[in-house]
Amino acid sequence: MNIEQFKGLARLPKFAIPSHYDLHLKLDLSAACTFSGTVKINLSITEKTNFLVLNANQLQVHQALFTTSGNQQYCPSDVVVDDDDEVVVLVFDETLCVGEGLLGIEFSGKLNEHLKGLYRCTYVDEGVKKNMADTQFEAADARRCFPCWDEPALKATFKITLDAPSELTTLSNMPIIDEKLDGNIKTVYFEETQVMSTYLVVVVVGLFDHIEDTTADGVKVRAYCPVGRSDEGKFALELTIKSLDIFTKYFSTPYPLPKLDMVAVPEFAAGAMENFGLIVYRDNEMLYSDSKSTARRKHRMSIVVAHEVAHHWFGNLATMEWWTHLWLNEGFATWVSYMATDNLFPEWNIWTNFLRETTGGLSLDALEQLHPVEVEVHHVHGVEQVFDDIGYRKGLAIIRMLQGYLGDDIFQVRKFTF
Ligand SMILES: [Zn+2]
């Protein structure tokens, strides 16, 4: 065996499977905008191997050590970082045996300006432009922040610790359990997540005002807005609470986390992202002003907020095995967002908008180079291309047809009695 066998692979080899990540990130938001970190990954070695192969992209790996449950330590003789394939291969002279162990890695990187992975954006504080940090990991960019098994099916729990400037708000998937101050830097400890995919991990560090409320089931919901604009977060907060109540009843499954935060950031590649427990919105998708915003904006916000909240059930709790089935994730979230909006605002007749919504899918579907809703993804470089109107809008149309064909009671399986 040699490391050439890992060139151009579509998927990571499965001779090591992660179950837990203990991730400590240290952010430097001064002009250099760099970060360093350590990650300790609980692994199950399922086949004897001289290699551990995981994802990393644009990271420097400084040190790695594998420790077995019997406390035997293995230091790799070579660490090969391949930025083309976005993998790091740890080569061991001795063979790692089947069993449990802990892989520790020290690494560092630079906050990029490409709106993916861990990236830098800016906010204005009393007329001065300052740096803040945000993440966007879907589909395959968690690997730009920390070395990991970055595939949706390889779920694990995450315990996240952040070092950040003490004057800023730090947000992640879970509530904060402890904080320590050392000069101008605070170390923030977050509660451990439940089992989830790497693409749903999130970290945001910035300056915000927030408002909050609680659902009927006791889930704390907070809306983080730019300083001085928290009034504009009220409509999104209200929509999120109502959507959580609707979906909890519709799916007969409670929302699984103690909190759901949302945050409006100034620079974001998509409209919003359903990170588990912390939805990140481009600011104009989350902020609403009664005096300035249009009725069309109100309709759009209802659809987007319900879509992101709905992903917490399918997508986040139940996840596609691989990106080939992304259309199910996005098609369902879009379909159910119409259902929720129709329930909340029946006077809007929102399903009439559905026809306009599907037009984008029809136009793409008319091209000679069309692809089916279910797309083979052979390499990570092709992943981004499946996030198009075929997946979202044709996916929505197919699910709407299926629901119409089967009828509500059968489609909503729990109402169906065998
Ligand atoms: Zn979505």
Side-chain angles (χ1 to χ4, degrees):
M1 297 228 298
N2 62 56
I3 67 164
E4 285 305 307
Q5 69 190 300
F6 306 121
K7 278 299 288 172
L9 286 180
R11 310 276 287 263
L12 292 170
K14 300 294 184 296
F15 42 65
I17 303 291
S19 58
H20 176 74
Y21 292 80
D22 203 330
L23 174 65
H24 190 161
L25 286 173
K26 299 172 183 181
L27 305 188
D28 175 2
L29 296 180
S30 64
C33 259
T34 56
F35 64 95
S36 60
T38 54
V39 63
K40 292 175 189 156
I41 311 170
N42 291 75
L43 284 183
S44 206
I45 309 287
T46 55
E47 279 175 49
K48 281 200 293 186
T49 178
N50 285 71
F51 305 95
L52 288 176
V53 187
L54 59 159
N55 293 116
N57 189 9
Q58 312 290 321
L59 294 176
Q60 280 82 52
V61 174
H62 304 293
Q63 209 176 323
L65 184 70
F66 181 73
T67 309
T68 66
S69 53
N71 220 17
Q72 242 181 322
Q73 296 195 320
Y74 297 87
C75 194
S77 55
D78 201 5
V79 175
V80 183
V81 179
D82 182 338
D83 277 337
D84 285 340
D85 279 335
E86 305 180 3
V87 296
V88 54
V89 182
L90 309 178
V91 185
F92 296 88
D93 288 339
E94 292 172 274
T95 303
L96 308 181
C97 297
V98 171
E100 307 297 311
L102 190 70
L103 174 65
I105 301 179
E106 285 180 26
F107 59 94
S108 63
K110 191 165 168 39
L111 279 92
N112 69 69
E113 292 177 11
H114 308 302
L115 310 181
K116 46 172 85 169
L118 176 59
Y119 68 91
R120 176 186 87 102
C121 46
T122 54
Y123 66 98
V124 177
D125 180 26
E126 294 175 349
V128 181
K129 209 173 182 186
K130 294 182 177 171
N131 292 328
M132 57 177 281
D134 185 14
T135 58
Q136 169 57 31
F137 290 167
E138 192 182 25
D141 287 314
R143 62 191 67 178
R144 288 174 183 264
C145 180
F146 61 101
C148 56
W149 273 257
D150 197 12
E151 294 183 6
L154 296 174
K155 291 184 171 186
T157 50
F158 296 82
K159 196 160 191 331
I160 295 171
T161 306
L162 260 187
D163 283 9
S166 56
E167 72 276 16
L168 299 182
T169 304
T170 48
L171 302 170
S172 186
N173 305 85
M174 296 297 286
I176 293 171
I177 44 172
D178 200 7
E179 247 183 67
K180 284 177 188 149
L181 195 62
D182 182 8
N184 294 329
I185 299 294
K186 61 180 174 182
T187 301
V188 183
Y189 302 86
F190 294 93
E191 209 174 289
E192 185 174 318
T193 69
Q194 71 164 58
V195 169
M196 63 181 203
S197 305
T198 47
Y199 80 89
L200 295 167
V201 174
V202 61
V203 165
V204 177
V205 179
L207 200 60
F208 304 102
D209 280 344
H210 80 272
I211 47 174
E212 64 182 58
D213 206 341
T214 309
T215 66
D217 293 337
V219 178
K220 188 183 263 195
V221 181
R222 283 173 296 197
Y224 288 86
C225 308
V227 173
R229 296 178 68 185
S230 52
D231 261 12
E232 294 173 55
K234 280 183 183 165
F235 185 52
L237 183 73
E238 189 188 320
L239 282 173
T240 302
I241 287 180
K242 287 180 175 166
S243 301
L244 277 170
D245 287 338
I246 288 174
F247 296 139
T248 300
K249 287 190 192 100
Y250 188 79
F251 300 127
S252 303
T253 303
Y255 175 76
L257 306 182
K259 64 99 170 169
L260 176 56
D261 293 334
M262 70 201 87
V263 59
V265 298
E267 291 151 72
F268 198 63
M273 174 64 208
E274 70 272 19
N275 309 293
F276 218 157
L278 172 58
I279 301 170
V280 178
Y281 291 89
R282 190 190 301 155
D283 53 11
N284 67 338
E285 297 282 0
M286 190 185 117
L287 303 175
Y288 179 83
S289 156
D290 272 331
S291 58
K292 294 184 204 149
S293 306
T294 60
R296 184 181 157 87
R297 170 113 303 274
K298 205 169 187 177
H299 292 185
R300 159 93 186 155
M301 271 188 67
S302 299
I303 294 288
V304 173
V305 169
H307 178 112
E308 304 306 329
V309 173
H311 268 313
H312 281 72
W313 279 265
F314 40 84
N316 301 9
L317 268 179
T319 313
M320 66 260 145
E321 196 273 334
W322 183 240
W323 301 109
T324 299
H325 299 106
L326 180 77
W327 77 274
L328 271 174
N329 196 357
E330 296 303 346
F332 256 105
T334 310
W335 175 79
V336 90
S337 69
Y338 273 79
M339 182 203 77
T341 302
D342 193 37
N343 192 296
L344 291 175
F345 304 100
E347 69 280 14
W348 290 356
N349 292 316
I350 200 75
W351 280 110
T352 55
N353 240 26
F354 159 81
L355 293 173
R356 193 187 58 80
E357 181 80 27
T358 49
T359 311
L362 285 169
S363 316
L364 255 191
D365 217 28
L367 299 176
E368 235 173 78
Q369 300 294 323
L370 86 163
H371 65 79
V373 284
E374 207 172 277
V375 193
E376 281 299 318
V377 177
H378 297 293
H379 195 275
V380 65
H381 297 142
V383 168
E384 300 299 338
Q385 290 166 23
V386 298
F387 287 81
D388 66 5
D389 279 348
I390 295 288
Y392 282 72
R393 298 183 179 190
K394 189 174 178 182
L396 158 67
I398 289 172
I399 288 161
R400 166 85 160 145
M401 269 193 278
L402 195 61
Q403 183 239 3
Y405 178 72
L406 293 171
D408 274 342
D409 286 359
I410 294 174
F411 189 73
Q412 190 190 353
V413 177
R414 283 176 190 269
K415 275 190 188 167
F416 186 62
T417 46
F418 291 94

